[in-house]
Structures are given as C-alpha cells and as structure tokens.
Amino acid sequence: MEESPLAKAEWIKFFGVLYNKEKEADSIFNRIETEYLNAKKLAKNVKNRPTILSGAMHNDIWYLPNGTSTEAQLLRDANTDYLWNDSKGTGSLQLNFESVFMKAQDADIWLSPSNYSSLEKLKNASAHNAEFKAFKNKNIYTTNNTTGATGGVLYFELGMSRPDLVLKDLIKICHPELLTDYNLFFFKPLE
C-alpha cells in the first residue's frame, strides 16, 4: 500500500485537538494540502520525466526507497521516472552496487545520497560513485546540508509535516521551468 505524503502531515490536526487549537491546525493543514495538490497538478503534464536514482551504499549494501514508500510517492507526484517505482515492500530496498549501477548508471538526477555532504566525500566512500552520469554532471541533491538553528537536518525535523515544500523542491530540481520563482527549501546541490 502506498504511503501518502499528506497523510503523514495530518499529525498537525492531532496537535490542534491536543492544544485546543483545532481551527488553526485545520487551517495550517488545509494550506499545506492545497499547496501540495496545486504543485502536483502543475507537474502532471510535463513531457520530460527525468530518471531518478536515490540513496547510497553502506557496508556493501545500497539503501534506497521502495516503490510504495512516501519518497517514491513524492517522486511520482513530481512526475519523475523513479527507477525503482515498481518495487514493493516495507522499509528500504537493500541492493548490491552492481544491480544499482546496471539500472541507474545513466540516471539524470541522484537524490539523497545518504549522509555524504560533498561530492568529494561521496567519491571517497567509493570511487565507483563517480561513474554515475548524475555524479559526472554534478546533478546530485541532498537534504543533509540544510540545517536548522540547533544544527539538526531540517528535512528530518520538518519534511514530513511539510510535504508541499518537499514536492516543490523535487519539481524545482526535476522541472525547473515550472517553478521559476521558487527557491529550494530542503534539498541543495551536492558540491
């Protein structure tokens, strides 16, 4: 069963009830839902659907989202071609490097390369990472370099409650012509 990014944000309504601020919480959730659905609609009819690689390898295992995950749903809503979109299951996929490379060596964009904070660190982890087209074209985006005031990664602190911003980031990365005045919020290019 697919995980809905908007369903994950419904916790906002729970806290509204808990703090006797239901109207404010409903208003916040409704604004997020409207922004999300408008962004999804904007991306719906694009012709160019870039291919997407996600995740990275640790201890000889490449971890990436399965096709029924929230992350995969966000990529579908951004109208991309996530290469493991048809996979099913719970949790992350755990694959060997060879199977990932065979399928994604020519992927247009590489998202969320784990905790690697620079191209150099990603290449130092495995020289094979530099063989991907997305690496060669410096078309890799991470959320780990966007931190809040206390140093925490904003995506992990706020991302699931703001799926509208995550979706807009993905659309900006994959279809920049659609959101010309939008600045990336969570994702940043890996440099």
Side-chain angles (χ1 to χ4, degrees), residues 58-70:
H58 292 283
N59 297 325
D60 297 328
I61 298 173
W62 194 294
Y63 295 93
L64 61 160
N66 72 57
T68 57
S69 67
T70 301

Side-chain angles (χ1 to χ4, degrees), residues 71-130:
E71 293 83 359
Q73 183 62 51
L74 283 157
L75 291 168
R76 275 191 293 283
D77 290 349
N79 204 2
T80 69
D81 182 10
Y82 176 51
L83 295 170
W84 283 269
N85 196 43
D86 294 335
S87 63
K88 307 234 183 293
T90 58
S92 298
L93 296 172
Q94 299 174 26
L95 305 173
N96 62 37
F97 176 83
E98 293 79 11
S99 64
V100 172
F101 188 74
M102 290 298 295
K103 192 167 194 170
Q105 64 185 327
D106 291 322
D108 298 309
I109 298 168
W110 185 349
L111 298 173
S112 304
S114 190
N115 296 324
Y116 299 108
S117 59
S118 70
L119 291 168
E120 180 182 354
K121 288 180 180 179
L122 184 60
K123 184 177 179 179
N124 288 344
S126 173
H128 298 301
N129 288 331

Side-chain angles (χ1 to χ4, degrees), residues 26-191:
D26 285 345
S27 175
I28 291 167
F29 177 80
N30 290 339
R31 187 177 69 245
I32 291 169
E33 180 180 44
T34 298
E35 289 293 317
Y36 188 94
L37 294 174
N38 286 342
K40 179 180 173 180
K41 184 177 179 182
L42 181 66
K44 184 178 181 181
N45 295 317
V46 295
K47 301 295 182 218
N48 178 30
R49 297 176 61 232
T51 51
I52 306 294
L53 165 64
S54 185
M57 190 170 62
H58 292 283
N59 297 325
D60 297 328
I61 298 173
W62 194 294
Y63 295 93
L64 61 160
N66 72 57
T68 57
S69 67
T70 301
E71 293 83 359
Q73 183 62 51
L74 283 157
L75 291 168
R76 275 191 293 283
D77 290 349
N79 204 2
T80 69
D81 182 10
Y82 176 51
L83 295 170
W84 283 269
N85 196 43
D86 294 335
S87 63
K88 307 234 183 293
T90 58
S92 298
L93 296 172
Q94 299 174 26
L95 305 173
N96 62 37
F97 176 83
E98 293 79 11
S99 64
V100 172
F101 188 74
M102 290 298 295
K103 192 167 194 170
Q105 64 185 327
D106 291 322
D108 298 309
I109 298 168
W110 185 349
L111 298 173
S112 304
S114 190
N115 296 324
Y116 299 108
S117 59
S118 70
L119 291 168
E120 180 182 354
K121 288 180 180 179
L122 184 60
K123 184 177 179 179
N124 288 344
S126 173
H128 298 301
N129 288 331
E131 297 302 315
F132 287 94
K133 173 183 159 186
F135 187 99
K136 292 175 184 176
N137 293 339
K138 296 183 176 155
N139 211 2
I140 304 175
Y141 293 82
T142 184
T143 56
N144 283 352
N145 292 343
T146 306
T147 57
T150 60
V153 176
L154 278 184
Y155 181 79
F156 298 119
E157 294 177 357
L158 188 61
M160 287 300 106
S161 63
R162 292 304 307 267
D164 57 325
L165 296 177
V166 177
L167 181 60
K168 286 179 182 180
D169 276 8
L170 294 172
I171 292 170
K172 179 70 175 185
I173 291 166
C174 299
H175 314 292
E177 72 282 0
L178 295 180
L179 294 172
T180 55
D181 295 330
Y182 178 80
N183 293 318
L184 294 173
F185 189 84
F186 294 112
F187 284 89
K188 301 291 185 243
L190 198 64
E191 299 177 342

